[in-house]
Amino acid sequence: MKTKKKLTLILYFLIPFIAVLLVKYSLRTSNDDYVSVDKKNNETTKELASVEGKMMLPDTVDFIFHVKPILSDRCFLCHGPDEGTREAGLRLDTEEGAFAAIGENLDRYAIVPGDVNKSQMVHRINAAEPEKTMPPLESNLSLTDYEKQILTKWIEQGAVWKEHWAFLPPEKKQVPKVANIEWISNDVDHFILKRLEQEGLQPSEKASKEKLLRKLYFDLTGLPPSLSQIDAFMNDDSKDAYEKIVDKLLASTAYGEHMASSWLDLSRYADTHGYQDDLERVMWPWRDWVISAFNRNLPYNDFVEWQLAGDLLPNATLEQILATGFNRNHKITQEGGVIDEEYRVEYVMDRANTTSKALMGLTMECARCHDHKYDPISQKEFYSFYSFFNKVDEKGRIDYDEIPKPNIKITPKEVKEMLSFINLPDSISEVYPMVMKDGAANRKTYVLNRGVYDAPTDEVEAGTPEVILDYKKSFPKNRLGLSKWLFDEDNPLVSRVAVNRMWQQIFGVGIVATSDDFGNQGDLPSHPNLLDYLAVTFREEGWDMKKMYKRMVMSSAYQQTSKVTPELLELDPDNKLLARSSRSKLSAEMIRDNALAVSGLLVKKVGGPSVKPYQPPGLWAETTSGQGLTKYIPDVGEGQYRRSLYTFWKRTVPPPSLMTFDAPTRDFCEVKRQKTSTPLQALAMLNDPQLIEAAEYLAQRILNQDNLSDKDRVETIFRKITTRLPAEEETNKLLAYLKSAKDSYKPIEDDIENKEIPNKETHAYTVLTSLIFNLDETIIKG
Amino acid sequence: MEEITKHFINNNRRHFLKKMGLGIGGLAAASLLDPFSSFAGNEAPNLTGLNLPHFAPKAKRVIYLFQSGGPSQLELFDYKPLLQKMRGQDLPDSVRQGQRLTGMTSGQASFPLVGSSYKFDQYGESRAWVSSLMPYTAKVVDELCFIKSMHTEAINHDPAITFFQTGSQQAGRPSIGSWMSYGLGSLNKNLPTFTVLLSRGTGRPFSQPLYSRLWGNGFLSSLHQGVQFRSGKDPVLYLKDPDGMSRSERRNMLDHISELNRKQEEEFGDPEINSRIAQYEMAYRMQTSVPETMDIDKEPEHIIQMYGADALTPGTYAANCLLARRLIEKDVRFVQLYHMGWDQHENLPKQIEKQAKDIDQATAALIMDLKQRGLLEDTLVVWGGEFGRTNYSQGLLTDTNYGRDHHPKCFTMFMAGGGVKPGFTYGETDDFGYNIAKDPVHVHDLQATIMHLMGIDHTKFTYKHQGRRFRLTDVSGHVVKDILT
């Protein structure tokens, strides 16, 4: 009897679980995810496809949401924008093409709205004969039954066509009405809550004050709050206590440093040239400008315009020219024997790709060798865009001791007179950062066959992809004109892409999760109206970045707790709906900076030449050819303790402690970092001498304070590192650990001779602090 | 936009659930507890979720002995008596056929042909040609499968080596070892799936650098990056506990960390926390397993002698070969060696003697050692550089001295073990050793073949990044079927 009951009980739990699993499996489309464990085999999909079809086919099939992702991913490769590989004359990426007559006698149609029988597409996707099936077997692409039914039903329902959302200008809609009006802090919340209410979901409660404060500090400055800052906030009961902190942080220098940090990824900034022997370059004055521009809250349109075309502005200032260093951050080779033009072409490519990815969320580089396979960008258009960046009088290969041209000379005089934001040390009398200058204004641009430097075909003029926005006659055909075009009121991409990336920074994931791809293969926005609202508002407010960040962090959506129920986790694992706050991992820079800051080691100096903190010895030496930067010689003194954005970046051997925590290599533009969890990270957290040193320093400082009990000390350390007081249970665990550390302490032999150190207390507190550094909570915000 | 919203709302459940497949929630818990489903994990089928291998693999593991700089095929394996006969005569235009030259020789007034200074002979039952520079290798030719007809697209080191390792001349794509880690996962629970060992040649110790992106994960998860195993106290970065910390103290700390983390997990419900706990456990295991693997003290004398005395000097090619065998014994999936110094533009005879000596004995020993342990059957060994060298002299040709520039149009590689024909030679170059006469093998073909041996159809093994499905072999590559057993 008992056994039976047990069995029933197990079944009781198991059946819904199996049901959920079945649904989960069956509901997957083949829309690949990025996480490897998220992949699954097609067989299961096929087996269960019949279930899914019956269960989940939408009442109304929508082109943008249901149909185009399938067409783009499975059909465009042969029936898309690339004329060169288009099969059977059928093109499915334009309305005209999709409904056009096909076949030798032009008597057939792929799609006949409302008529499934006459629609060749339906026959071909369902064809039993392998030679007729679409997509063809050899493409390794296939459609699930669910996808076939979607396409069929769409045709049945009249095959309504819509243009790609991201290429239509954003529209600012009225903020939606919501029921739970008390929850609303600002307009952002209307959009978030509307969606939640439609789902029958509630937003989460507000995060604890400590958690919120910590998250805010990291999101706006990349640094943790100090104990006194925590106390001040905890004791401030005024209504605008939070807002005051927001304003204070936006006004702090650390804000600019933090924002610069991710702009450096996007700008593929580094301190070396990146190819082969990877010689040193001096671009840090440009980095200092970026920090300063953020801190001065230079409007985003100016911020970008100066970087793209500062040199072309009327009466350009030296500062505006310096800003164009943005497009000189690409790699440069000095490898003996390379063909100059081959590499010069690579640099121009890099500029075009970076500009398009960073500012427009487009993968234009796909049109280097042929028309884009997924987005309506022809190869010719790519080279027209490329042409804007093809006028620089530069060398493909530089000599070993050569400072690449064009550059500008900066001496203490320029710094004093007009570039006061540059932190030029007394020891340096001049620097020559690279800048843009169209010294080869007459250089012609040609389409390069297969993208190869020595295969020019048709000449092209500077221009932009037609599908995005016409290039007005009034715009000059140079980088300045390009900037005008980018910031034209009707440009559908630039503002959306910018606010999306800002959102990604604050909320962890963009409203468009693929912040680097707004094209046909990119994700759809989770809150399209919110994206548009923010995009238009950003422009209307004069591209005010601080104001935009403030809007985001002032929202109730931002201020929620990150606690999640199993149900919500099940329903929305990626937290697209924002019924809670995301529990995001700190960036590589934040992890190290946090340890330095809380221990008191951090040197808060802004800008200047990049620094060389500790890194494991030998990493440069073991890969060098003996030329250039052969040996990493760590700085002595403050260079050890600067914020991580100042760490010297050698591209072929990037800083290991940052790389371990998912920093990109800076070989090219990157707008989104990976967020992984690896054993190498665990090892670095446990054993990186910088973190051990920080732990020891913090431990010693706490021990130096008189009249504190172990409990006081443990609580203080914990609070410094995590911003909150430990719960009693946690304190007890930590105290128990402290005791065990003291008990097991054995002075190492060296220490016996060195009488200063044999200190049980220091040892025990150091390992305790190290333990707290290693808590999950420490590397998490929210 | 309105419609997007509407449909998002109607369909979000479907959409979200789709993501759940083996996502972070629910089911994934199992794999999260064993976070190395990619980096470690046991041989549970389909732990990566990729439905790989596509078919039964011939090889489970790879050792790739990368000879960085471009070893001269003409001095080592590709015997060209005509070049000796025509020594000093100019390379005929009819042979060169307008082939691109590097900037290092394009300005040369003449291109004097030069044959090998080293005597060639045929060895083994397979009668393979090997020069006197490689006496040990000559003894194992019946285990080797030579490809004499390799060719590549790049002519300079950086793009050429990047091309070999990632399938693209420009940086940014995952290394071949990362692809294997991603696709096939790990065979063991204590070591990284993809390990990297570096050594510096004595022929030209400072010639060509290496770049850590060569073993980088590109757009794949950083779980799949190559992990460098270095000589010295800290073989893997940050592996070593601080001085004075015992294993039990470390264990004690980790137990406390786990307990406190679990409490957070209870409170916040974030499954990532479980993953992190598991990562710490793997880290702890690595702290034992890595030094154990690196410690060759228990290797018997006859094994050391087999690899040569250099095997006792950490960081040498010979030591790395021995380590490679130890890593393979522990079921590491992909062991990547790089040996620097094969860039003989000038003083070739002097340099290449030392370079060859660095690697000859240990390479042969590795193959025979794997064989005697029964590991060669399912381990693929690959030997080769990023391109070949010209049949004419770079710089002045004298009685005793010459150099050779980069040559992408033909060069020699060899493989051994897991699924390739032993004692076999594939492809031929012309009598000038300049062009391929028969059966060309492109870099992408080689990559396709390596993947095939590992049970992967290279055309089907893709990763979608920024909307595009990327392959190691880009859009080309054919499996070289004739060399398969």
Side-chain angles (χ1 to χ4, degrees):
Chain A
M1 184 66 195
K2 246 187 176 173
T3 333
K4 201 177 170 189
K5 204 171 175 185
K6 219 175 183 176
L7 198 70
T8 321
L9 204 68
I10 291 171
L11 277 177
Y12 177 79
F13 282 111
L14 266 185
I15 287 170
F17 181 63
I18 292 167
V20 167
L21 280 189
L22 276 175
V23 173
K24 270 197 231 165
Y25 274 114
S26 59
L27 293 186
R28 289 182 54 79
T29 70
S30 328
N31 191 4
D32 300 1
D33 288 303
Y34 291 153
V35 188
S36 64
V37 290
D38 217 13
K39 301 251 176 184
K40 80 172 228 46
N41 74 58
N42 290 328
E43 292 308 308
T44 327
T45 315
K46 277 176 195 153
E47 278 165 30
L48 294 165
S50 53
V51 184
E52 87 190 5
K54 276 173 205 147
M55 285 173 64
M56 298 300 296
L57 219 55
D59 293 341
T60 308
V61 177
D62 178 70
F63 182 70
I64 295 288
F65 186 77
H66 302 111
V67 177
K68 202 179 54 172
I70 303 172
L71 294 181
S72 172
D73 199 50
R74 273 6 106 59
C75 312
F76 281 7
L77 214 54
C78 302
H79 301 297
D82 185 1
E83 211 180 314
T85 53
R86 195 173 302 143
E87 299 286 342
L90 173 62
R91 143 163 229 193
L92 292 170
D93 66 307
T94 64
E95 183 171 12
E96 197 191 343
F99 297 110
I102 49 169
E104 276 171 36
N105 305 320
L106 295 180
D107 55 354
R108 286 177 297 162
Y109 295 86
I111 301 165
V112 179
D115 195 335
V116 167
N117 267 331
K118 283 191 183 151
S119 297
Q120 290 298 317
M121 177 191 276
V122 178
H123 294 296
R124 298 301 290 274
I125 61 176
N126 290 302
E129 310 91 320
E131 67 277 10
K132 282 197 176 163
T133 312
M134 281 291 149
L137 205 61
E138 63 271 19
S139 68
N140 292 320
L141 300 168
S142 60
L143 295 170
T144 64
D145 281 355
Y146 174 80
E147 289 164 339
K148 289 176 189 171
Q149 288 176 42
I150 284 283
L151 295 178
T152 309
K153 191 165 179 181
W154 172 65
I155 292 174
E156 236 168 46
Q157 292 181 337
V160 179
W161 188 275
K162 286 170 195 162
E163 295 307 317
H164 182 56
W165 68 272
F167 298 154
L168 301 171
E171 278 177 70
K172 190 168 177 174
K173 299 257 168 60
Q174 284 232 308
V175 294
K177 292 204 168 63
V178 292
N180 179 10
I181 200 80
E182 297 82 56
W183 186 72
I184 302 291
S185 292
N186 64 21
D187 288 351
V188 167
D189 296 326
H190 282 271
F191 294 94
I192 301 295
L193 186 58
K194 176 76 184 175
R195 181 74 193 277
L196 291 176
E197 288 183 347
Q198 277 164 329
E199 290 304 314
L201 291 171
Q202 298 292 323
S204 297
E205 62 188 46
K206 207 168 174 173
S208 71
K209 273 186 109 175
E210 296 102 322
K211 287 264 179 212
L212 183 57
L213 185 72
R214 178 177 161 88
K215 180 164 82 152
L216 184 69
Y217 262 79
F218 277 116
D219 283 337
L220 294 185
T221 70
L223 293 172
S226 68
L227 283 187
S228 59
Q229 286 161 336
I230 302 169
D231 284 338
F233 181 60
M234 297 305 286
N235 296 329
D236 188 347
D237 292 331
S238 60
K239 231 182 137 199
D240 59 349
Y242 176 72
E243 186 172 3
K244 281 188 288 189
I245 306 274
V246 171
D247 290 335
K248 191 184 88 173
L249 296 181
L250 287 171
S252 71
T253 318
Y255 161 82
E257 292 179 305
H258 174 57
M259 293 302 162
S261 209
S262 53
W263 194 257
L264 298 186
D265 280 2
L266 177 149
S267 316
R268 70 270 189 248
Y269 168 87
D271 297 301
T272 61
H273 288 317
Y275 284 107
Q276 212 222 11
D277 276 328
D278 200 14
L279 308 175
E280 184 166 0
R281 62 165 56 165
V282 175
M283 287 302 283
W284 60 262
W286 174 82
R287 181 250 283 137
D288 282 5
W289 174 79
V290 173
I291 296 169
S292 155
F294 275 113
N295 276 333
R296 282 179 284 159
N297 202 22
L298 192 64
Y300 183 71
N301 58 339
D302 290 339
F303 180 63
V304 170
E305 183 164 87
W306 295 11
Q307 295 185 67
L308 284 185
D311 58 313
L312 298 173
L313 287 167
N315 305 316
T317 62
L318 194 61
E319 177 183 352
Q320 286 165 334
I321 295 170
L322 173 64
T324 64
F326 171 75
N327 258 327
R328 300 303 306 285
N329 282 321
H330 55 80
K331 303 197 293 178
I332 296 178
T333 192
Q334 87 325 301
E335 179 168 354
V338 302
I339 290 175
D340 201 75
E341 178 67 1
E342 182 174 19
Y343 277 82
R344 193 193 65 77
V345 164
E346 272 323 307
Y347 310 155
V348 183
M349 294 282 176
D350 182 280
R351 284 177 205 132
N353 298 342
T354 299
T355 306
S356 103
K357 180 173 171 177
L359 302 177
M360 294 192 286
L362 286 181
T363 55
M364 264 173 69
E365 73 246 42
C366 294
R368 169 179 176 160
C369 306
H370 44 66
D371 294 342
H372 201 290
K373 298 282 183 193
Y374 302 105
D375 295 326
I377 299 165
S378 69
Q379 190 188 12
K380 198 174 164 202
E381 284 178 317
F382 173 77
Y383 284 96
S384 295
F385 191 72
Y386 166 103
S387 162
F388 286 111
F389 307 100
N390 193 27
K391 313 278 187 198
V392 184
D393 187 14
E394 64 188 321
K395 284 162 77 173
R397 178 190 173 266
I398 55 163
D399 282 327
Y400 273 84
D401 50 2
E402 181 174 350
I403 301 171
K405 284 179 184 141
N407 58 51
I408 50 171
K409 178 177 177 174
I410 296 174
T411 70
K413 183 170 175 284
E414 283 80 26
V415 171
K416 199 175 157 207
E417 287 168 8
M418 48 197 141
L419 304 173
S420 58
F421 50 84
I422 294 181
N423 188 347
L424 189 71
D426 294 340
S427 56
I428 296 177
S429 57
E430 54 192 31
V431 285
Y432 296 89
M434 288 178 269
V435 294
M436 291 291 280
K437 189 179 175 193
D438 290 352
N442 294 326
R443 183 184 288 130
K444 288 180 177 162
T445 299
Y446 300 88
V447 173
L448 300 177
N449 189 29
R450 304 295 309 162
V452 182
Y453 74 99
D454 62 353
T457 58
D458 301 338
E459 187 182 341
V460 291
E461 262 195 59
T464 48
E466 194 189 321
V467 69
I468 299 168
L469 175 67
D470 284 343
Y471 199 83
K472 287 184 189 155
K473 289 228 165 69
S474 58
F475 297 156
K477 294 219 161 179
N478 60 16
R479 287 177 280 112
L480 189 58
L482 175 63
S483 174
K484 305 277 175 235
W485 176 83
L486 288 168
F487 287 94
D488 186 275
E489 200 175 295
D490 292 324
N491 189 303
L493 289 168
V494 171
S495 184
R496 278 189 182 124
V497 168
V499 294
N500 189 59
R501 204 177 47 247
M502 294 164 90
W503 186 274
Q504 171 186 284
Q505 251 186 303
I506 300 297
F507 286 90
V509 180
I511 297 171
V512 175
T514 54
S515 50
D516 47 10
D517 189 4
F518 276 55
N520 281 323
Q521 289 284 86
D523 282 7
L524 292 165
S526 59
H527 297 79
N529 290 338
L530 172 60
L531 180 68
D532 278 12
Y533 176 89
L534 295 174
V536 176
T537 305
F538 191 38
R539 192 180 68 227
E540 286 173 352
E541 289 178 351
W543 308 93
D544 184 332
M545 288 191 268
K546 285 191 182 178
K547 198 163 178 184
M548 185 53 69
Y549 281 124
K550 181 170 177 183
R551 171 179 287 109
M552 290 175 187
V553 299
M554 288 304 295
S555 68
S556 298
Y558 177 80
Q559 297 180 50
Q560 299 174 91
T561 176
S562 60
K563 285 181 193 171
V564 60
T565 59
E567 295 74 35
L568 188 54
L569 188 67
E570 180 88 356
L571 183 65
D572 186 6
D574 295 338
N575 198 17
K576 289 198 169 198
L577 291 179
L578 289 172
R580 62 184 188 275
S581 170
S582 288
R583 223 169 153 271
S584 317
K585 194 169 163 189
L586 300 185
S587 70
E589 288 87 344
M590 291 180 198
I591 288 171
R592 177 174 170 272
D593 293 355
N594 180 46
L596 292 177
V598 299
S599 66
L601 284 168
L602 184 71
V603 174
K604 289 189 179 176
K605 181 174 148 185
V606 180
S610 295
V611 296
K612 299 194 182 79
Y614 170 87
Q615 78 172 27
L619 288 175
W620 285 16
E622 65 203 15
T623 55
T624 181
S625 74
Q627 305 250 37
L629 298 160
T630 55
K631 203 174 169 195
Y632 187 88
I633 301 168
D635 286 343
V636 180
E638 69 175 25
Q640 285 285 344
Y641 310 113
R642 301 281 303 281
R643 290 191 67 168
S644 304
L645 91 148
Y646 300 119
T647 297
F648 190 93
W649 204 283
K650 182 179 181 185
R651 270 194 258 234
T652 55
V653 195
S657 64
L658 300 179
M659 293 308 287
T660 302
F661 292 96
D662 293 327
T665 59
R666 299 266 174 89
D667 281 310
F668 47 84
C669 163
E670 202 64 89
V671 300
K672 202 169 82 176
R673 287 191 185 184
Q674 291 192 6
K675 288 173 187 165
T676 63
S677 197
T678 70
L680 300 184
Q681 291 170 4
L683 289 171
M685 291 304 300
L686 292 168
N687 294 329
D688 182 343
Q690 283 239 301
L691 297 179
I692 301 292
E693 185 188 9
E696 191 174 334
Y697 193 77
L698 176 54
Q700 197 57 61
R701 278 179 63 203
I702 299 294
L703 284 169
N704 288 346
Q705 293 175 31
D706 293 335
N707 304 322
L708 292 178
S709 66
D710 277 345
K711 181 165 178 283
D712 296 335
R713 292 193 166 116
V714 165
E715 285 179 349
T716 308
I717 295 171
F718 189 91
R719 190 162 180 241
K720 265 180 166 281
I721 297 173
T722 68
T723 318
R724 70 174 174 96
L725 277 169
E728 195 182 335
E729 190 192 344
E730 290 168 321
T731 310
N732 290 340
K733 283 216 162 75
L734 291 168
L735 283 169
Y737 176 74
L738 182 71
K739 184 173 179 304
S740 66
K742 288 181 190 176
D743 291 348
S744 65
Y745 174 73
K746 283 187 222 76
I748 25 182
E749 281 169 33
D750 286 358
D751 290 351
I752 294 168
E753 287 167 37
N754 180 352
K755 291 210 173 72
E756 278 177 52
I757 309 182
N759 187 330
K760 192 190 280 190
E761 292 287 311
T762 309
H763 168 80
Y765 270 96
T766 301
V767 293
L768 174 89
T769 307
S770 172
L771 182 158
I772 299 171
F773 276 152
N774 277 280
L775 294 179
D776 178 74
E777 193 177 355
T778 303
I779 56 165
I780 290 295
K781 59 188 168 69
Chain B
M1 286 303 258
E2 200 55 59
E3 290 83 0
I4 301 184
T5 319
K6 212 165 75 199
H7 286 285
F8 242 94
I9 290 156
N10 288 343
N11 292 284
N12 77 82
R13 276 168 208 279
R14 193 185 71 81
H15 189 69
F16 291 135
L17 288 171
K18 176 198 80 181
K19 301 277 288 184
M20 293 290 292
L22 280 163
I24 289 301
L27 264 192
S31 66
L32 286 174
L33 291 174
D34 188 4
F36 290 91
S37 52
S38 43
F39 197 113
N42 49 22
E43 250 197 301
N46 272 328
L47 211 49
T48 59
L50 281 173
N51 207 23
L52 280 172
H54 293 126
F55 40 81
K58 290 276 177 62
K60 280 173 154 178
R61 298 161 296 257
V62 177
I63 301 176
Y64 195 141
L65 307 169
F66 199 97
Q67 310 299 317
S68 171
S72 171
Q73 74 281 12
L74 296 168
E75 266 65 29
L76 301 174
F77 304 113
D78 204 12
Y79 179 45
K80 294 295 156 191
L82 181 68
L83 292 179
Q84 278 155 342
K85 275 187 215 140
M86 291 183 69
R87 186 179 171 98
Q89 294 181 42
D90 229 27
L91 168 68
D93 286 345
S94 61
V95 175
R96 184 180 151 196
Q97 293 172 342
Q99 161 62 22
R100 171 179 168 180
L101 307 177
T102 77
M104 288 168 288
T105 48
S106 57
Q108 245 173 248
S110 68
F111 300 100
L113 296 171
V114 55
S116 167
S117 299
Y118 303 93
K119 191 172 169 304
F120 271 80
D121 259 316
Q122 284 178 290
Y123 294 90
E125 283 178 25
S126 54
R127 310 310 295 149
W129 286 100
V130 180
S131 87
S132 59
L133 288 170
M134 303 285 267
Y136 286 89
T137 307
K139 286 185 213 160
V140 302
V141 288
D142 287 344
E143 300 298 333
L144 307 183
C145 175
F146 287 97
I147 304 174
K148 296 280 187 68
S149 50
M150 283 300 306
H151 65 108
T152 183
E153 292 171 15
I155 193 168
N156 297 103
H157 296 286
D158 184 324
I161 190 167
T162 308
F163 191 50
F164 248 102
Q165 297 291 269
T166 73
S168 164
Q169 293 191 40
Q170 288 297 327
R173 308 254 179 113
S175 176
I176 181 168
S178 296
W179 278 109
M180 295 296 171
S181 166
Y182 165 65
L184 300 171
S186 178
L187 296 161
N188 79 80
K189 279 175 171 293
N190 303 313
L191 289 166
T193 310
F194 172 23
T195 61
V196 177
L197 299 157
L198 314 183
S199 58
R200 194 178 285 284
T202 57
R204 196 176 163 209
F206 291 97
S207 53
Q208 286 305 319
L210 292 171
Y211 339 106
S212 61
R213 61 180 142 83
L214 295 174
W215 52 93
N217 48 290
F219 41 69
L220 298 175
S221 161
S222 57
L223 274 170
H224 306 295
Q225 69 181 275
V227 178
Q228 220 183 313
F229 275 38
R230 312 166 69 223
S231 49
K233 276 198 294 187
D234 224 2
V236 165
L237 292 183
Y238 314 115
L239 185 74
K240 205 173 140 296
D241 285 330
D243 285 345
M245 177 174 263
S246 67
R247 288 304 279 160
S248 62
E249 280 178 288
R250 178 54 90 206
R251 183 68 260 167
N252 184 32
M253 183 195 273
L254 291 184
D255 290 343
H256 280 81
I257 292 171
S258 297
E259 269 184 65
L260 290 161
N261 280 346
R262 287 216 173 82
K263 204 185 151 286
Q264 281 284 299
E265 202 269 331
E266 279 164 29
E267 193 179 343
F268 285 87
D270 179 359
E272 263 300 300
I273 298 176
N274 289 328
S275 161
R276 199 148 295 132
I277 291 170
Q279 304 297 359
Y280 272 80
E281 290 306 315
M282 174 68 174
Y284 181 77
R285 291 198 298 276
M286 275 174 68
Q287 288 188 308
T288 314
S289 62
V290 174
E292 250 172 39
T293 310
M294 302 292 282
D295 178 10
I296 59 160
D297 274 3
K298 291 199 185 100
E299 289 287 335
E301 182 60 29
H302 72 274
I303 292 290
I304 300 290
Q305 275 174 10
M306 191 176 170
Y307 285 81
D310 277 356
L312 291 172
T313 311
T316 58
Y317 180 83
N320 287 350
C321 280
L322 181 54
L323 280 180
R325 189 218 81 208
R326 294 173 64 89
L327 289 164
I328 289 299
E329 273 180 318
K330 300 201 172 190
D331 260 339
V332 167
R333 177 77 72 181
F334 202 100
V335 183
Q336 174 83 53
L337 272 73
Y338 295 90
H339 187 62
M340 300 156 83
W342 285 103
D343 192 23
Q344 275 66 58
H345 287 279
E346 47 198 18
N347 297 323
L348 180 141
K350 232 181 231 168
Q351 292 182 7
I352 204 167
E353 282 172 28
K354 290 184 187 163
Q355 273 304 119
K357 197 160 185 298
D358 286 343
I359 65 115
D360 176 41
Q361 184 176 354
T363 304
L366 172 63
I367 287 161
M368 296 322 283
D369 199 9
L370 290 171
K371 182 167 173 148
Q372 70 183 0
R373 288 160 206 266
L375 288 165
L376 193 59
E377 278 169 40
D378 56 3
T379 303
L380 177 69
V381 180
V382 183
W383 183 100
E386 68 266 40
F387 40 55
R389 304 206 82 89
T390 54
N391 58 356
Y392 58 83
S393 177
Q394 175 174 358
L396 203 60
L397 171 64
T398 71
D399 285 351
T400 54
N401 200 5
Y402 56 94
R404 296 190 192 274
D405 198 2
H406 310 163
H407 188 60
K409 293 197 69 166
C410 62
F411 54 104
T412 302
M413 290 183 71
F414 66 76
M415 300 204 265
V420 292
K421 286 180 183 163
F424 188 71
T425 294
Y426 182 79
E428 280 173 30
T429 55
D430 62 11
D431 289 342
F432 285 91
Y434 194 86
N435 292 304
I436 291 169
K438 199 178 151 204
D439 297 331
V441 178
H442 183 270
V443 176
H444 285 142
D445 299 335
L446 181 84
Q447 291 162 339
T449 307
I450 295 173
M451 284 203 279
H452 178 86
L453 291 164
M454 296 290 276
I456 298 173
D457 176 342
H458 71 107
T459 64
K460 287 187 184 154
F461 182 34
T462 60
Y463 186 84
K464 199 166 145 189
H465 170 66
Q466 280 184 37
R468 176 179 164 194
R469 287 176 179 79
F470 284 92
R471 285 169 26 191
L472 173 62
T473 50
D474 201 27
V475 294
S476 55
H478 295 280
V479 173
V480 187
K481 295 225 167 88
D482 289 346
I483 66 166
L484 307 178
T485 52

